[in-house]
Amino acid sequence: MAELRHGTVAAAAARASSGSPAKRDAEAASASASSPFLSSPRSGGGDGGKDGALRPPPPLHQRYSLPAAVRALLALEDPRSPSAPASYRILLAVLACVALAALVSAPSVWSRLNAPYLCRKDGIRLQCPGVSNSLWENPHAAATSWKPCAERRRDEISDLVPENETSGYIFIHAEGGLNQQRIAICNAVAIAKIMNATLILPVLKQDQIWKDQTKFEDIFDVDHFINYLKDDVRIVRDIPDWFTEKDELFTSIRRTVKNIPKYAPAQFYVDNVLPRIKEKKIMSIKPFVDRLGYDNVPMKINRLRCRVNYHALKFLPGIEEMADKLATRMRNRTGSVNPYMALHLRFEKGMVGLSFCDFAGTREEKAMMAEYRQKQWPRRFKNGSHLWSLALEKRKEGRCPLEPGKIGFILRAMGYTKETQIYVASGQVYGGNNRMAPLRNMFPNLVTKEDLASKEEIEHFKKHVTSLAALDFLVCLKSDVFVMTHGGNFAKLIIGFRRYMGRHRLKSIKPDKGLMSKFFGDPYMPWANFVEDVMITHQTRTGLPEATFPHYDLWENPLSHCMCRA
């Protein structure tokens, strides 16, 4: 088509430049005879007159079925058309307008082509091509093809040795809060497997902060735990009767293994702990927080830890049932089924103090916090003179908890409206109602388990603080969107669970606190720009399984060790 247009235009130009009509006719006939696209004027008997004289060929757009735009262009090029001068002027005017528009829009088009995300604004929302903008669905879930695979296969042969051939017994105290205790239990099973030892059911140690006397059987289903792992590790409920030093087991120097490095490799236990267990037959291990690494243990050991965490450790049926009730009530608060968000608001006094970050507040409030820090962490506090620069550095690095009001701004920028139903999993918020007021003004439908359950229902669970934490854990796990405001074992385990069990198809939002601190520190940033930055920053922070790297936390992302391609 380009050759046709080029040849026709050239012929028209030649005709226009010729001064003799006869010469133009002869050249036109010569061009039509030599062109491979034009038929002979005598062919078909349709082009000759009655007397056999040659007639000039009709215009191309009358002889061939060409696109309308081409036919119009060819018609304009016919100088014998009476409307030719006016048509040329119209065409030139249109071309000039198009050229001017292209010149004006060129910078905008160029900047869009070089933008990292080709998105457009729709009000305060950001619409991005090829990405679902649903508030309640993970936009990239369709691209994932991972499934859980830590469960023992039915055809898998047990490698558990007979009871009389085990190396001995190991005993641990699971310290900290519920989720720290959960990780310690998973590690204890893994270490028992590494050393081919029998595991005595772990004791949940009373924590100085939690002040709780909960036993393993008060939270977890012991029968399920032991039976599920019976082909992996031998587990007994109590210290053997033949051992007479039960009261001194965890205090006796002769019976305790200490000085285990943090994130120790599997080989450390084989070289340093196993000989002592074989010698003494029963040993306690202390301390036991993060005493097993992730990258320096065999793949099957990491998979066993996932098997314990996601399959063997089940809460008691009463806890599961109450959590189901709370989740159902969250979905039916408006009279019809609606999705809900779970917000893990990590802004208790202990966390604010331990972070050593600076937050807005009155002079009296800051003085009280300084006194609290000096009392709780005297070595880190020193005289307090270095804390200001430390607080600025930590905020830039994203290591400070998000205040309730700031997480409210982030959620509104993402498009969540004031009607959003939000379940808050939190202890007593530092600053109380005054600190919560900005968040509650933006999202008035904030509720806790105490708001959803009756006094009689919740009273039963107040006997054990860890039971209340278990309820929060399960309601967050079942939520449509989970949002964390700071790191910690609770948030890591929730995100890991949702990834492993397929709930990564629902959103788990992990705010980029470092970048958010930069935005919040700019008082001149317009709201529309803030919305765009929040949307773009968090497009990929939605809880999908990620490829792991050295020292990546197994509990937050079980992809490489515990998941397989679907």
Side-chain angles (χ1 to χ4, degrees), residues 380-416:
R380 290 185 60 187
F381 187 84
K382 298 178 182 177
N383 60 4
S385 61
H386 67 295
L387 294 182
W388 176 248
S389 58
L390 176 66
L392 287 177
E393 180 182 348
K394 294 188 73 171
R395 189 168 295 279
K396 289 179 181 179
E397 295 174 353
R399 293 191 289 146
C400 293
L402 281 172
E403 297 174 77
K406 290 184 177 179
I407 192 62
F409 281 120
I410 293 173
L411 294 177
R412 288 302 293 268
M414 289 180 177
Y416 294 98

Side-chain angles (χ1 to χ4, degrees), residues 113-319:
L113 288 174
N114 285 275
Y117 297 91
L118 297 179
C119 303
R120 61 180 177 82
K121 289 181 182 177
D122 183 9
I124 66 168
R125 296 294 308 281
L126 201 65
Q127 305 292 341
C128 302
V131 176
S132 167
N133 285 279
S134 170
L135 294 173
W136 303 102
E137 296 177 3
N138 202 317
H140 306 282
T144 62
S145 57
W146 295 93
K147 65 177 182 180
C149 60
E151 280 192 282
R152 174 176 283 276
R153 300 190 305 272
R154 292 184 179 180
D155 59 345
E156 192 173 349
I157 300 175
S158 174
D159 57 353
L160 191 66
V161 299
E163 184 175 0
N164 59 352
E165 295 182 15
T166 60
S167 305
Y169 293 81
I170 61 171
F171 180 69
I172 70 152
H173 272 172
E175 303 174 358
L178 174 64
N179 298 289
Q180 189 171 339
Q181 291 171 347
R182 188 184 193 102
I183 293 174
I185 294 167
C186 296
N187 287 338
V189 173
I191 290 170
K193 183 69 174 180
I194 291 171
M195 297 187 296
N196 195 22
T198 298
L199 175 66
I200 300 171
L201 195 69
V203 170
L204 307 186
K205 185 182 178 183
Q206 178 182 352
D207 187 81
Q208 294 180 353
I209 297 177
W210 289 81
K211 305 292 184 184
D212 193 31
Q213 295 284 358
T214 304
K215 298 178 181 179
F216 191 105
E217 55 268 27
D218 294 329
I219 297 294
F220 300 109
D221 187 331
V222 178
D223 291 333
H224 176 80
F225 177 71
I226 294 176
N227 291 332
Y228 194 90
L229 298 170
K230 64 182 180 181
D231 292 325
D232 295 296
V233 177
R234 196 175 304 281
I235 303 174
V236 295
R237 291 174 176 266
D238 204 353
I239 301 171
D241 293 333
W242 55 262
F243 186 72
T244 58
E245 304 176 25
K246 293 183 180 181
D247 295 336
E248 300 178 2
L249 177 59
F250 214 72
T251 58
S252 172
I253 298 177
R254 295 183 298 106
R255 295 286 181 178
T256 304
V257 180
K258 294 186 177 182
N259 302 321
I260 298 176
K262 203 169 185 179
Y263 302 114
Q267 195 61 40
F268 178 88
Y269 286 90
V270 174
D271 296 339
N272 300 279
V273 183
L274 181 57
R276 297 195 62 186
I277 292 177
K278 287 183 176 180
E279 177 189 355
K280 301 291 185 180
K281 293 302 178 184
I282 183 167
M283 295 289 295
S284 62
I285 301 177
K286 181 183 179 181
F288 201 72
V289 178
D290 297 326
R291 299 296 152 175
L292 184 64
Y294 305 119
D295 307 304
N296 46 23
V297 299
M299 175 70 78
K300 68 176 184 179
I301 297 298
N302 278 329
R303 190 162 294 169
L304 175 60
R305 294 156 92 179
C306 290
R307 189 174 301 163
V308 179
N309 186 33
Y310 301 124
H311 300 285
L313 275 177
K314 287 186 64 176
F315 293 113
L316 291 175
I319 297 175

